[in-house]
Amino acid sequence: MSSAAADFLLLDPRTAPRRGITNWLAGALRSAISDGSLAPGSMLPASRTLAADLGTARGVVVAAYQRLADEGLIGGRRGAGTVVLAPPASAPQRPRRRPPARITRLPVPRLPASAGIDLSPGVPDLSAFPRAAWLRAEREALATCDAAEFGYGDPRGAEPLRVELSGWLGRTRGLRVDPDEIVVVGGVAQSLALLSRALRARGATSIAVEDPGSRGASDQLTWWGLRPVPIPVDHEGLRVDRLRRRAADTVLVTPAHQFPSGVVLSPARRRALVEWAAAGDRLIIEDDYDAEYRYDRAPVPALHASAPDRIAYTGSTSKTLAPGLRLGWLVAPPHLHDEIVSAKHAADLGSPVLPQLTLARLLACGAYDRHVRLMRTRHRARRDAVVGALRAALPDADVQGVAAGLHLLVTFPETSGVRDDVALADELRSRGVQMHPLTWHRQRPGPPGLVLGYAAQSPDRLREAAATIARVVLTRR
Amino acid sequence: MSSAAADFLLLDPRTAPRRGITNWLAGALRSAISDGSLAPGSMLPASRTLAADLGTARGVVVAAYQRLADEGLIGGRRGAGTVVLAPPASAPQRPRRRPPARITRLPVPRLPASAGIDLSPGVPDLSAFPRAAWLRAEREALATCDAAEFGYGDPRGAEPLRVELSGWLGRTRGLRVDPDEIVVVGGVAQSLALLSRALRARGATSIAVEDPGSRGASDQLTWWGLRPVPIPVDHEGLRVDRLRRRAADTVLVTPAHQFPSGVVLSPARRRALVEWAAAGDRLIIEDDYDAEYRYDRAPVPALHASAPDRIAYTGSTSKTLAPGLRLGWLVAPPHLHDEIVSAKHAADLGSPVLPQLTLARLLACGAYDRHVRLMRTRHRARRDAVVGALRAALPDADVQGVAAGLHLLVTFPETSGVRDDVALADELRSRGVQMHPLTWHRQRPGPPGLVLGYAAQSPDRLREAAATIARVVLTRR
């Protein structure tokens, strides 16, 4: 069989008439442009390359290209090859799909960046992503890593990253974990997916969650077949006494900085929670999602160290570097470890290696810590701006959760006239300021509030947003 | 509350005795080194930084560091900061976990690279990963991408990549898909995981697979709750007549280059397979895992174009760039699209963005096509070396699947004396040559064979391996 055929458009000259190969080639290109297989802007292969693939003379390809150029379908840019210019006038338009529905029931109509001030919580200052440091670390990783790293790797993740994470989690979060106990995952969301699978396989059908708590997490757990059981949160964090009365054997908590209230789980509650887990065959999932950002208080060590046999600990780079990296870690208790590794293997065989090796280098050389320190200073200034402005303009409102994190919670007393936070958020959005109504993150009804992420906006924009909030709230009185 | 406290070891000076802060700090560092929280090689913060965090004088930190240096626990390297040297003699050793079991039942004892010639199939030449081109493309991506790309993105993947893939799949594989129909995934394995979830949710409990076929895929489908139903493969590919007699409504196939036999699905079987799918509410999963490598034949277009409503098409960069990238694509038929997007969102919210933007640039500038072309030339030379050596040394054996791909299949006639390919592979491994016995990839018994991946070894090593194989086989006669 002849191998003279091109991948390009799957052109096979054996299908051409014996003498009309130029005609045949021009026709194939024309119909590919016409039916959209070759979109405007697509580059054509160099005539020399295509001729070699087809086992024909270069002049044949040049002639076919020239014919299409004469028809205005393709054109050359100096030094940039030949590109498709436009489909023939009669070319059919291909229908465009609308963006698909997300699993979350959260109606999050993203504003275009220029249309207003987006204070949706959960996102750091994306413009601060350390592009140069990342590239430098990746260059070093590529220059030094063994070729075997590019193969099918350990489903737990690249060893250099697990070694660095083991040290970093020990130094900054108080965990004592061996590199082999860490599984690198695609963010906290993947940790919840893997844990859900393992829990479902053991027969669990429900999971206790904080109320208010992350709506995204609850929706995800529901998708995986675990019914979220809401447990109230007060000024000390999760009401462990209420948890005891429920049947769920697993609880998802955010001890260092509760989402969305910002409360730190009190020492008494930490003890009570660990006792609850130890008393039965129970599991605590510790989501340490933004512990790196604390401003006015000493760091709170992760709960994990108090009961490593009962706690699945998870965190990520989503709040320190960027959510788009989809890079996090999961430390499962020993009895779940092998199941989690199998679940990770069955899900995707393991996480992409290059971002892992890059993060390992950022951790090893201290650049990661420096970046977190820089971000903390920047976020603190933003928090000060928005808290100051809100407290001055709305002395009645209660601004909570300000000692740490990237968001705060504003709740309103009965006298404020605010009843319906969804309506309030809708009105604010119509005035160009977007945030989450607290109701979105509640399972059961409660006082109204606004969850406001301040990390991504400049102090001036934050003061502007606070003024808008105050204006809208005060007209409701 | 005072904010003077350090993330480093969660040091909080309020816990220090009033006058003994140097003692307290030295003690905290010593016990962290002793209990392994600070491993040898860990870097300590600069004294200035730690002093600022603790709200104390720099001299306090310098004095504490000096004390530990005097004890031989830490040391300074010129310009490289202070690092932990060794734990105190009495420090407990932390136990090391053994690597976890994989989900696959395949016993794949990986040889260290130097211990022999590893011909396990499925891996390209990892040393050929285009490190410089990748870094260049990533630099361009980082230099030009909008900060919003670093946020929580579209679960289908980054739009620039989906646009490039749409054009590339059209030009080289004959697919006609809109960018919005493509879901970027973590390799073909994640495609199978997402499809399994969707099929299980619709009540499916089994799936037809090729026999012989990929053992890894069968194991993964089993993990996700789908029982693999083996359908024989002959010289024309999948026996569609046998498929018709089974109850399964979904089949996983490798039409362009069957794994492991290397057979191309014949035109008649392609038609029959599409008819089978169209006749019921049935699904074909097309795994186009190594279609880029063809040597002696014209390219075979993907099956997808013949029945886009009945086919889920998936491919990846695992065979063209590197499996470690975990980067692939899935085009689901319209009736499954939204479920697949939800499953991807529930699994990990989406794939990491930087590798996506990098691949998009490699596709856009033609570097990806150039790399595939280069790899094809290199792999062809390797194939020629191993096929030539095997045919010369073992004229009785049947060397199949050589027209494309990265592996070939050697089967043995009854006269060869080879009965048990697992024993044969074991003996070959003991002589330093590793490959898969065909039995590993069979569901039902059949003639013995060896599956041999040739992409990762030089022609000389391949000839050496072929000589070893011949020696071992001939002694069995």
Side-chain angles (χ1 to χ4, degrees), chain A residues 315-329:
Chain A
S316 80
T317 57
S318 293
K319 310 294 186 258
T320 52
L321 290 170
L325 291 181
R326 310 306 312 126
L327 189 49
W329 39 86

Side-chain angles (χ1 to χ4, degrees), chain A residues 37-39 42, chain B residues 162-172 177 182:
Chain A
S37 308
L38 280 176
S42 302
Chain B
R162 289 186 285 113
V163 168
E164 290 302 328
L165 283 173
S166 163
W168 182 80
L169 289 169
R171 289 195 300 278
T172 67
V177 291
I182 299 171

Side-chain angles (χ1 to χ4, degrees), chain A residues 3 5 7 9-10 35 53 131 138 142 145 150 152 171 176 220 294-295 319 324 346 353 373 376, chain B residues 3 5 7 9 35 131 138 142 145 150 152 171-172 176 220 224 294-295 319 324 346 353 373 376:
Chain A
S3 68
D7 287 336
L9 302 179
L10 307 163
D35 73 13
D53 283 353
R131 302 185 189 206
E138 182 152 345
L142 280 167
C145 76
F150 294 118
Y152 290 100
R171 290 195 300 279
R176 293 195 48 203
Q220 197 195 0
R294 54 161 190 92
Y295 310 112
K319 310 294 186 258
V353 70
R373 190 177 290 271
R376 191 189 294 165
Chain B
S3 68
D7 287 335
L9 301 179
D35 72 13
R131 302 185 190 206
E138 181 151 344
L142 279 166
C145 77
F150 295 117
Y152 289 100
R171 289 195 300 278
T172 67
R176 293 196 49 202
Q220 197 195 2
W224 284 100
R294 51 159 192 96
Y295 310 113
K319 308 296 185 258
V353 70
R373 189 176 291 270
R376 190 187 294 164

Side-chain angles (χ1 to χ4, degrees), chain B residues 216-242:
Chain B
S218 284
D219 286 350
Q220 197 195 2
L221 295 166
T222 303
W223 194 93
W224 284 100
L226 292 174
R227 185 174 47 83
V229 176
I231 309 293
V233 168
D234 65 15
H235 62 286
E236 289 192 69
L238 187 83
R239 290 278 303 267
V240 181
D241 57 329
R242 298 289 189 89

Side-chain angles (χ1 to χ4, degrees), chain A residues 222-244:
Chain A
T222 303
W223 194 93
W224 284 100
L226 292 174
R227 185 174 45 84
V229 177
I231 310 293
V233 168
D234 66 14
H235 62 285
E236 289 192 68
L238 187 84
R239 290 280 302 271
V240 181
D241 56 329
R242 297 290 188 89
L243 176 62
R244 285 199 207 97

